Each structure stands twice: as C-alpha cells, then as structure tokens.
Amino acid sequence: MRFMMLVIPKDYGKAAPDAMPDPKQVELMMKYNESLQKAGVLLELNGLYPPSAGTRVVYSSGGKPKVVDGPFTEAKESIGGYWMIQVKSKEEAVEWASRVPFLGEETVEIRQIHEMTDFPPE
C-alpha cells in the first residue's frame, strides 16, 4: 500500500515566497528521511515552496480556467511538503508519521494512494 504523508505547517499560507525551514529542523528531517530510506519504505519526498510563490488554475462551472497567483487568502491550511511511502498497512503509515521530528506546530496528514487494482476492470 502506498501512502502520502502531507506536511501542513502552521501559518505556512502566510510565509514569504522565499521562506526556508529552520536549519535545525532540516538536520532532524534529514535523519528521519534516512531512517525511512534504510527501512525500505521511502518512495519519494519533497518540500514545497510556500503558497505565496504558487499559482492556482481555478475552474468554474461552464467557465474558462482562471489563473490566480499566491498567496491564497481563503486557504486555511497549506501543504509544505510530502513523503510517499510504501508500507503494509495504514497503521504502519501512522507509526512512521508519529516519528516525524517536528520542532514547531505542524500536522502530518496521511492519505492512501489509489492503485489501479482499486477500480473495477471496466
């Protein structure tokens, strides 16, 4: 089973476009990432620039797509990064997410990835 562990830092939606994580946090995360890799569960990981550096393409019913540059005032939570892991169960994904060495107020949301086998053949 593949799971995405999404990092949701507090107030990331208000961060400057060039905001970078705390060096101490980076050091701790590198060790954590190494443990995921050594366990053989890490498929991919990435950090994301803040929403203020992003752009959205918004689709409305029957309308043309609209391009909106960040920051996005209506966003209450913003994703700061993710890990893609492959584990045997949701419980194992929760166990890995519970080991993330955050220093501040962050959240890790765990979402299972749909596999092609989840859908009917037709």
Side-chain angles (χ1 to χ4, degrees):
M1 303 174 122
R2 291 183 302 155
F3 289 87
M4 185 173 274
M5 300 192 309
L6 303 163
V7 177
I8 306 170
K10 184 177 182 184
D11 296 329
Y12 202 50
K14 299 174 186 172
D18 59 351
M20 295 298 288
D22 177 271
K24 177 66 176 167
Q25 182 71 70
V26 172
E27 181 182 333
L28 292 170
M29 295 307 291
M30 294 302 287
K31 290 178 184 175
Y32 173 74
N33 295 340
E34 191 176 300
S35 71
L36 288 167
Q37 195 169 27
K38 284 182 180 177
V41 300
L42 182 64
L43 299 175
E44 182 180 340
L45 67 104
N46 280 295
L48 302 173
Y49 277 87
S52 56
T55 300
R56 290 181 178 174
V57 178
V58 180
Y59 294 84
S60 59
S61 179
K64 290 177 110 178
K66 179 182 174 185
V67 176
V68 180
D69 289 327
F72 312 111
T73 54
E74 70 279 359
K76 293 180 183 169
E77 296 177 333
S78 298
I79 297 171
Y82 68 91
W83 294 273
M84 180 82 70
I85 60 173
Q86 185 157 12
V87 293
K88 294 178 182 147
S89 66
K90 183 177 181 179
E91 292 75 23
E92 187 177 352
V94 170
E95 184 179 317
W96 278 107
S98 298
R99 297 181 194 172
V100 177
F102 283 135
L103 297 174
E105 295 183 46
E106 285 88 13
T107 299
V108 176
E109 181 176 326
I110 303 163
R111 305 277 298 274
Q112 187 171 352
I113 306 296
H114 278 292
E115 305 292 347
M116 291 306 293
T117 56
D118 294 335
F119 298 96
E122 61 278 345

